Amino acid sequence: MNIELMNNSSSQSKESLKVVLFTKETLTSDKNAKLYKKAGFKAAQDTNCFLYEKNILACGLEDMHNDNVRSTIATAIKTLKAANYKTANLNVQSSNTKAIIEGIILGGYEFNAYKSKPKKVKLKEIYLLCDDVKELKDSFEESIIIAEATCFTRDIVNTTPDDMNPPALAKLAKKLAKENKLECDILGNKELKKEKCEAMLAVGRASRHDTKLIHLAYKPANPKKIISLVGKGLTYDSGGLSLKPATSMVTMKMDKAGACAVLGIIKVVSELKLDIEVHAFVGAVENMLGGDAYKPDDVLKSRKGDTIEVRNTDAEGRLVLADVLDYAQDTVQSDYLFDFATLTGACMVALGQYTTGVMGHSNRLRHDISKASSKAGELTASLPFNKHLKKQLKSDIADICNISNKPYGGAITAGMFLDNFIKEENKDKWLHFDIAGSAYTESPWDVNVHGGTGAGVRFMSEFLKNIK
Ligand code: BES
Ligand code: ZN
Ligand code: ZN
């Protein structure tokens, strides 16, 4: 599907179906109000109505807020596809171009890689009509880059664990590096042993695949700031010997969504040619079970040197991140350090499945992220650390335990476990994003369809775009 920005006056698009947005108020004053009434269309949010005689698809929304525009366009695009339209046109303004493009690209996304006979999509061309193409061109192109990178992230998340194992993820990262002129360094089992990444290696030990630490870098000439991104890349999380129940294991190919987000973000930054240096660090590991599996009762020595008592092999993401965060901090002195991870089911209990949990020490940074995510149309919420919860990670036999000794506050205790591996000088530069709920869905919501959502890509792109 191609999206084209055109002047209102251009005749090329005139014959195609017109997609029009209506609130309750604008509907009553429309010249076709009677026809809509007859059709039972009341402009409720995310509802559509064809007026075939006028060649119009009407889309309802509560008000003209971009969150509502994005969402109703996502519904409209599915209707257009189902009705086999080949083209459509739609008026845009500078204020809503981004929301409309995201509605079209993200709402129209399909993942058909495993369908032997995927349905052919007839919808080929969408014309966005505006008063001044020149004025909108930059934001049009930028929005397409961000939306397509979000789909790139979704594609990787949706790929099966057998196809997207740690070496395959490393290969994909290498390809991205080549296409987008990024530096690329990949550490395998041998190099990771040299680096003393024993916690990370323990998690991957029962897998038939090598564990990989992937480091991509985008380095413009005079960067304003340096940013390190770290992603949890569990290409499959069976739980290990602390095996997940059968129903919880389904969807655990999504446990690499943090890694996929980080790859999507560096793709955006390099394609927008932002004036910042960005490093993406990915811990690509498969958590399996077998004769060589790491065990509850093991004590692991992390790269940092702290020992970790393992009491649950399903709390593996934090073990991987402990080593990758430590490696990232030793490799690059950055101004910001962000990690993305599908870390805890507890985050979903706390915030629901639509919201990314944000943790860290800097109120200022959390505030800036909150602003960026509101603007980008992603939901985030802060989960506060406290010293009482920190005590729950104490171990009687090692420096720290990989699970909390109490059943509450699991998203925060996981975040505080990571905090243990953040160097003093980086405390205020770091934020942890728990995307366990927001990264994957089995039922559509907002611009998301079944599968990976690309959580993190849009709000982090918005934040990075505004760095001064
Ligand atoms: N990958 C899971 C977290 C997760 C759960 C992500 C559901 C998405 C959906 C993580 O590795 C995990 O298993 N965490 C455990 C931690 C517990 C053992 C302390 C959890 O959340 O149950
Ligand atoms: Zn787990
Ligand atoms: Zn996991």
Side-chain angles (χ1 to χ4, degrees), residues 20-24 26-27 30 36 41 43 56 58-62:
V20 188
L21 302 178
F22 285 110
T23 63
K24 280 195 177 64
T26 58
L27 187 70
D30 190 72
Y36 287 120
F41 178 64
I56 288 176
C59 311
L61 73 177
E62 253 158 41

Side-chain angles (χ1 to χ4, degrees), residues 21-178:
L21 302 178
F22 285 110
T23 63
K24 280 195 177 64
E25 291 72 36
T26 58
L27 187 70
T28 44
S29 57
D30 190 72
K31 63 174 189 260
N32 295 319
K34 275 189 186 154
L35 292 175
Y36 287 120
K37 196 166 180 196
K38 219 169 148 188
F41 178 64
K42 293 184 180 142
Q45 179 68 44
D46 299 341
T47 61
N48 298 150
C49 175
F50 279 113
L51 277 193
Y52 294 103
E53 59 272 50
K54 304 281 179 190
N55 211 19
I56 288 176
L57 175 67
C59 311
L61 73 177
E62 253 158 41
D63 58 38
M64 292 306 285
H65 194 287
N66 276 335
D67 288 348
N68 295 333
V69 172
R70 196 184 295 110
S71 170
T72 201
I73 292 295
T75 310
I77 204 79
K78 287 175 207 150
T79 306
L80 287 176
K81 279 176 143 185
N84 287 327
Y85 274 89
K86 291 196 184 88
T87 66
N89 69 55
L90 142 76
N91 285 327
V92 297
Q93 288 147 13
S94 61
S95 59
N96 66 14
T97 306
K98 188 163 189 240
I100 286 176
I101 288 172
E102 287 172 348
I104 296 171
I105 297 180
L106 301 177
Y109 173 86
E110 285 178 48
F111 184 73
N112 287 325
Y114 298 103
K115 294 250 193 226
S116 51
K117 293 184 195 80
K119 194 172 162 260
K120 285 219 170 70
V121 178
K122 300 241 167 70
L123 192 60
K124 286 279 166 323
E125 202 84 43
I126 302 216
Y127 303 104
L128 302 187
L129 307 179
C130 64
D131 294 333
D132 185 357
V133 167
K134 263 200 208 130
E135 186 206 357
L136 265 63
K137 195 167 175 284
D138 286 353
S139 103
F140 170 82
E141 284 168 1
E142 181 184 296
S143 306
I144 289 192
I145 286 175
I146 295 171
E148 284 184 346
T150 306
C151 295
F152 166 83
T153 293
R154 288 177 175 186
D155 281 344
I156 319 171
V157 172
N158 292 337
T159 303
T160 61
D162 206 36
D163 286 346
M164 197 48 72
N165 51 53
L169 189 58
K171 197 170 156 201
L172 183 144
K174 228 179 190 167
K175 183 165 169 268
L176 174 68
K178 198 163 171 217

Side-chain angles (χ1 to χ4, degrees), residues 232 234 236-239 244 252 254-256 287 313-318 342-344:
K232 169 177 172 181
L234 262 289
Y236 202 67
D237 181 12
S238 68
K244 283 185 185 294
M252 274 306 134
M254 62 77 92
D255 214 18
K256 59 185 178 305
N287 186 20
T313 61
D314 197 13
E316 83 301 334
R318 62 196 78 184
T342 47
L343 206 61
T344 65

